Amino acid sequence: MAAYRGGDAGAFEVLYARHRTRLFRFVLRSVKARALAEELYQEVWMRVIEARASYAPKARFTTWLYTIAHNRLVDHWRKRGLTLVALEADDVASASPDPADHAQARESLARFAAALEALPALQREAFLLHEEGELSVAEIASATGANEETAKSRLRYAMAKLKAAVDDG
Amino acid sequence: MADERDPKISQRYRNLSGEEPSRELDQAILAAAHRSVDRSHAPLVVPAGRHRWYYSLGAAAVLVLAIAVTIHVERQQPDAELAEAPPPAPQQDKPVSAPTAPAAQPSRDMAARKERRQVYTPEPPPAPAAPAPTQSAQPSAGAMADSAAARRDAEASAREEQAKRNVEALKKERAAASRAAPAPMASPYAAVTPERELERIADLRRQGRDEEADKALAEFRRRYPDYVISDEMKAKVERKAAK
């Protein structure tokens, strides 16, 4: 990013190639609709480009990138009148996944996908940041504006629910 | 947070379909990144916003500096070396001072420097005590012109010598007058220069008042015994019959 800030457009291409797939999956699995995911994904990168001149490396670029993505998702949900509510104590079943997913219950992969989709938004985000962004708990806390204990708790709940789905398969 | 990572969960997650952004989306984002870099060079050409004052200030400073240097150069006097260096004409120098050494020509650089000196020196004084040029006249094509020029130079030197002697005589005379007549009873000649006195005598002579002119001339020679009257002035102040 420092090279791109210095005017090296080729450096941006390297960065983009490194993060495009993971970031896109993070956004897509956060909003579930591909068209909306593409729109938000593009906006995240545009914010990266706009911040080129003022970029100061206070943290890993990955953390900074996923912080932008998180903020963009929060903005999106606020516009839709939705708020992210922590539902750490909720049962996975209470999320009532699509009945079509139940029809494919024998396929473990589908079950896993359903479990991921069924996760409360903040838990899913913590898991996706951990899995796609390879962020540590401290970095997840930084990216989402939460304290480390909260971030750790969200991630632990998400992992437990997904592990249950895997074990069932 | 490696302890939170579960390999089975990670593996299952990786087995989900690998969605990717579309190629069009990639190209749009990369194009925007390139445009941003290209735009960032624009302020170097067209300064905008709060940085405009900086360029204006720089331009004003350069302008003031240029004007100051120009005024300084115009007021600058030629330095002592250039002002006092006798600038004899190059064509006079060569035959008189180095007639037998044509190989020892001054370099072109030196010649150019002499040219510049002549340009900077407003009234070049004649060469002091230049030797008479007649004895070493060259049998070259420009010998006649050179000897005439040398003769003019010698005459100018002689006039200069005479003027110097006159000035010396005048100084002596004034010093003597100041010693003889302190202040109130100054001589009527005290404020009159020898040249003016000679002009007055010449006027008398022109008006035909020869008697008065003779007396005044005698008085002048008595007062200025060391003053050498030029030939031209002699013709004006002396009686014609005396010639």
Side-chain angles (χ1 to χ4, degrees):
Chain A
M1 188 62 188
Y4 177 53
R5 184 185 57 192
D8 183 2
F12 180 86
E13 293 181 8
V14 174
L15 270 180
Y16 184 77
R18 187 181 299 161
H19 294 283
R20 62 184 283 274
T21 305
R22 287 170 174 263
L23 181 66
F24 183 75
R25 284 204 297 253
F26 168 77
V27 176
L28 177 63
R29 285 171 183 154
S30 296
V31 299
K32 299 170 188 162
R34 184 176 179 91
L36 178 59
E38 288 200 340
E39 180 187 335
L40 295 175
Y41 170 82
Q42 185 172 9
E43 287 179 11
V44 170
W45 282 110
M46 288 304 167
R47 291 190 181 187
V48 171
I49 292 168
E50 288 166 6
R52 179 178 70 90
S54 60
Y55 174 74
K58 295 175 183 172
R60 278 204 307 149
F61 172 77
T62 305
T63 307
W64 182 66
L65 176 65
Y66 281 89
T67 302
I68 293 173
H70 165 80
N71 292 336
R72 186 66 198 90
L73 287 170
V74 169
D75 289 345
H76 164 70
W77 284 320
R78 280 179 183 160
K79 280 182 186 172
R80 295 278 182 104
L82 303 173
T83 52
L84 293 177
V85 180
L87 299 171
E88 279 82 359
D90 283 359
D91 190 4
V92 173
S94 71
S96 61
D98 194 305
D101 291 337
H102 284 294
Q104 300 169 349
R106 291 181 183 176
E107 299 178 20
S108 60
L109 200 60
R111 186 179 297 112
F112 180 85
L116 179 62
E117 190 174 337
L119 284 178
L122 290 174
Q123 291 178 17
R124 185 170 60 244
E125 183 183 46
F127 171 77
L128 291 174
L129 289 171
H130 183 62
E131 195 65 38
E132 294 288 6
E134 296 182 329
L135 302 189
S136 67
V137 169
E139 288 170 332
I140 292 170
S142 172
T144 58
N147 60 48
E148 280 196 37
E149 282 304 312
T150 302
K152 187 175 183 179
S153 174
R154 289 171 184 168
L155 180 60
R156 188 166 289 169
Y157 274 114
M159 296 293 279
K161 292 168 186 173
L162 293 174
K163 191 171 187 307
V166 170
D167 290 341
D168 285 348
Chain B
M1 206 55 206
D3 54 337
E4 295 288 343
R5 192 175 293 278
D6 187 323
K8 286 172 70 176
I9 294 175
S10 292
Q11 183 59 43
R12 190 63 55 89
Y13 179 77
R14 298 287 160 212
N15 287 338
L16 293 174
S17 59
E19 298 93 343
E20 290 192 353
S22 64
R23 185 59 56 190
E24 292 77 17
L25 191 55
D26 289 344
Q27 288 172 353
I29 291 168
L30 292 174
H34 281 273
R35 279 199 303 274
S36 173
V37 170
D38 294 341
R39 270 200 309 272
S40 69
H41 295 302
L44 295 176
V45 179
V46 184
R50 60 185 175 176
H51 295 296
R52 272 187 191 147
W53 67 269
Y54 182 84
Y55 293 95
S56 302
L57 183 65
V62 168
L63 193 61
V64 167
L65 186 64
I67 291 171
V69 168
T70 304
I71 291 172
H72 179 72
V73 167
E74 282 181 355
R75 289 183 178 174
Q76 192 177 28
Q77 298 293 327
D79 60 32
E81 181 198 0
L82 294 181
E84 292 175 4
Q91 58 268 47
Q92 293 176 7
D93 248 357
K94 285 175 190 173
V96 172
S97 59
T100 58
Q105 295 285 335
S107 68
R108 290 188 175 194
D109 189 22
M110 288 294 290
R113 214 171 292 161
K114 277 188 175 180
E115 291 283 329
R116 283 198 294 276
R117 283 183 183 182
Q118 286 180 337
V119 168
Y120 286 132
T121 308
E123 272 301 319
T134 53
Q135 72 275 17
S136 59
Q138 293 299 300
S140 64
M144 294 297 291
D146 287 348
S147 72
R151 196 161 46 248
R152 282 198 302 274
D153 188 48
E155 287 172 359
S157 299
R159 280 197 298 272
E160 179 70 15
E161 285 293 312
Q162 180 179 327
K164 280 182 181 175
R165 283 198 298 275
N166 289 345
V167 169
E168 290 293 323
L170 182 58
K171 282 180 181 174
K172 282 181 188 173
E173 176 63 26
R174 283 183 177 173
S178 65
R179 280 194 300 272
M185 295 300 289
S187 163
Y189 294 103
V192 178
T193 63
E195 289 80 8
R196 284 186 184 174
E197 181 61 15
L198 288 173
E199 288 292 336
R200 191 179 68 84
I201 296 169
D203 284 343
L204 290 174
R205 193 73 70 191
R206 268 198 302 277
Q207 293 166 11
R209 297 156 67 182
D210 290 333
E211 294 293 326
E212 292 178 49
D214 288 344
K215 283 182 184 176
L217 184 59
E219 174 66 16
F220 178 85
R221 285 184 167 145
R222 191 183 62 76
R223 293 191 62 82
Y224 306 107
D226 296 331
Y227 191 92
V228 178
I229 302 173
S230 65
D231 294 341
E232 185 184 4
M233 187 53 78
K234 271 184 185 172
K236 292 179 182 175
V237 299
E238 288 182 347
R239 195 188 279 261
K240 295 263 192 309
K243 269 187 162 180

